Amino acid sequence: MLLNIKNLVATVEDTEILKGVDLTVGLGEVHVIMGPNGAGKSTLANVLMGHPKYQVKDGAVEFNGEDLLDMDVDERAKKGIFMSFQHPQEIPGVALANFIRTAKREITEQKVNLLEFSKELVSKLNQLNMKQEYMDRSLNQGFSGGEKKKSEIVQMAMLKPKLAILDETDSGLDIDAIKVVYEEIQNMAQKDNSIILITHYSRILDFVKPDAIHVLKDGKIVATGDRSLADRIEAEGYDIFN
Amino acid sequence: MERKKSYIEDVERGIYDIVDQEKHAYIVDKGLTEEIITEISQVKNEPQWMLDFRLKCLKIYKSMPVPMWSADLSELDIENIVHYVKPDAKQSHTWDDVPDYIKNTFERLGIPQAERESLAGVGAQYDSEVIYHSMSEHLARQGVIYMDIDKALIEYEDIIKEYFMTLITPHDHKFAALHGAVWSGGSYVYVPEGVQVDLPLQSYFRLNAKGAGQFEHTLIIVEKGASLHFIEGCSAPKYSVQNLHAGAVELFIREGAKLRYSTIENWSRNMYNLNTKRALVDAHGTIEWISGSFGSKVSMLYPMSILQGAHAKSEFTGVTFASTGQYLDTGMKVIHAAPYTNSTVHAKSISKNGGYAYYRSLLRVLESAHNCKSTVNCESLMLDNFSKSDTLPIIELFNDQVDIGHEAKIGRISDDAIFYMMSRGISEEEAKAMVVRGFVEPISKELPLEYAVELNNLITMELEGTIG
Ligand SMILES: Nc1ncnc2c1ncn2[C@@H]1O[C@H](COP(=O)(O)OP(=O)(O)OP(=O)(O)O)[C@@H](O)[C@H]1O
Ligand SMILES: [Mg+2]
């Protein structure tokens, strides 16, 4: 088991958002999380990554057998967790390439060969139809909504995490880019890496075969199923889970 | 970010803090009297008019009140400052002739190396006197003069008499008057008409003596169509007693000439840095200020450009970094006194661990200065909730045919940005450092490489006190 979440309860500014989430993710598995706006999906992602704004009140999270909640944010990243943000931050004056290279050096604890790194980065940018110039642009600054999502995918592809949590990465992306995202997901899963995909769109299921689909509503996983669950939501909405 | 934090009171400034054992040839008593001033002037063998001028300045100094509109200067005790410390070294033209302990200090600061690699000339001042001066042959052949100003006072007495403290007069403020009374050392630069000085000249001012003041005077004249990049570096080791720096910089930029004046000041935390800098720019001339203010207990520093000829231009780019116990009051003044003049200000400040960075500026557009343009952009970044930042831009317009753009932003480093970076495996400390370096990047990319590196190093040093 790669990730094991038990009865996770979390608050933000004294408001309880996660009200006892249970979820397990195995090696190489792809899990989809769907749910209405405000259900707590991004909160779950942020709590797993360790955002200081959220307080964990109860429950436990194990990652690779270790207590995840005890770790600093950067430590979690070093253990192999990656989160693609619903709203990526803009960091003026920090070049995209430089940022990813620093991150890679920290995570691998090794020097990063500049030439190999640049080659790989350029090819990832190419795949996403992003010009090479983006390497030297300030991280996400002035990027369009879709470009920010692409920047997240490039970072994921370069950092090669064990578990990627993609928070609505497919929202705002053009269809070509979405295909690249799904290819990247398949690649990762084949290499025994795992993915949690937060999404509002069941079209994703035309490209990716997830191991499970979960519905998060009002801070809890209220249903788990397969493709047919997604189809039901598509047809009837989330009211069926009352 | 919430988590245990440890704060270090002062930064480890490494090489900057290494103190040399004090060996001076000559030192005057503490405090300020006519006798002390006369003594300084006599030791230097100055002409009578300079002594008279010094004594006049002393009178003005005594008659003026301590400025109250900015930093608290009540702890600054002039009677306890030693105003003149002559190092035990004659001025040399090769580093081999400089005593080892002084040479080593400058070696640590990287001056001789920079001289070999990227400078056309160097002046090095240790306490009150310039101990080293040299300039490349080919500049000398073109008539460029770069020498210590005490020597220029003897060799070019008429020129010094004509220009000295005419741009900054002793009546400007109390510390300008003090400077006039006790000034010592500094550089005189003259670039003849049409001469382009390809590599920069650098003067470095090191204040080693404890409880002393440094009052160097820099006078630069760039003639018609000529150009120069002048770099001023300053530092002092850390002491528990006050030191005072009240230098003066007077720059004359003739028609179509261009001067870039770069400074990186890195004072210890016991320093009162009350420096005055002014540039007078003729038609089509350009002054570019680049200014890095680090360290000191109190800094009050507002370079001024007076654009007196049509189409004259002033550009200012500055970074200020204030940490625990520091009050850094910095900014820029521009006087548009002729039509079609142009000024830009690009100022950034960072405050950390309770430091206070105050941006203060003056833009004055005179009646005659129609069709002028001014762009001001100042940004402050606070690294935590107990650091402070303020901006006070003063704009005085005496004609309305002007184009003015003003933008001021004050912000705190965002937890979300730090979280984002940490989520990629970057430590909190490094993430903050990257944000700060990114914040000053528009400025560091304007600097020659060595100084960009120095700026980044200083920022890293300043940041090392915060561990999340
Ligand atoms: N500081 C706060 N104080 C109180 N409530 C908050 C705070 N921050 C977020 N919330 C609430 O937490 C709830 C969960 O938000 P979250 O971002 O996790 O939703 P989501 O499931 O990701 O929604 P979406 O599909 O719209 O992205 C929302 O109702 C939001 O308003
Ligand atoms: Mg969300």
Side-chain angles (χ1 to χ4, degrees), chain A residues 41-42 86 167-168:
Chain A
K41 302 182 297 297
S42 295
Q86 187 173 1
D167 190 357
E168 295 198 29

Side-chain angles (χ1 to χ4, degrees), chain B residues 4 66 104 175 203 241 243 251 333 349 389 447 460 466:
Chain B
K4 61 246 168 212
V66 174
N104 291 342
F175 296 97
S203 288
V241 298
N243 278 29
L251 311 173
K333 299 181 188 175
S349 76
S389 211
L447 295 175
T460 305
T466 323

Side-chain angles (χ1 to χ4, degrees), chain A residues 46 49-52 72-74 77-78 82-83 85 89 91-94 99 102-103 106-107 139-140 152 155, chain B residues 1-4 414-428 430 434-435 437-439 441-442:
Chain A
N46 275 288
M49 197 74 244
H51 196 301
D72 281 343
V73 181
D74 51 334
K78 285 180 182 161
F82 178 91
M83 167 178 171
F85 285 61
Q89 293 287 312
I91 318 284
V94 178
F99 178 68
T102 306
E106 292 299 313
I107 286 176
L139 182 58
N140 299 335
E152 297 292 277
Q155 291 176 44
Chain B
M1 312 227 115
E2 239 185 301
R3 267 198 335 271
K4 61 246 168 212
S414 105
D415 280 356
D416 284 319
I418 298 301
F419 171 64
Y420 182 71
M421 299 175 86
M422 288 179 76
S423 81
R424 303 308 190 230
I426 296 168
S427 69
E428 180 174 354
E430 179 59 18
M434 286 177 91
V435 169
R437 281 196 291 263
F439 177 72
E441 190 258 3

Side-chain angles (χ1 to χ4, degrees), chain A residues 12-13 15 17 35-44 53-54 86 167-168 200:
Chain A
V12 55
E13 283 166 21
T15 309
I17 310 289
N37 295 133
K41 302 182 297 297
S42 295
T43 304
L44 177 62
K53 180 170 101 174
Y54 302 93
Q86 187 173 1
D167 190 357
E168 295 198 29
H200 286 296

Side-chain angles (χ1 to χ4, degrees), chain B residues 6-12 323-324 352-353 464-467:
Chain B
S6 57
Y7 289 112
I8 297 165
E9 269 299 298
D10 203 346
V11 289
E12 186 48 63
S323 187
T324 318
K352 185 201 108 175
N353 270 7
E464 272 165 5
T466 323
I467 300 157

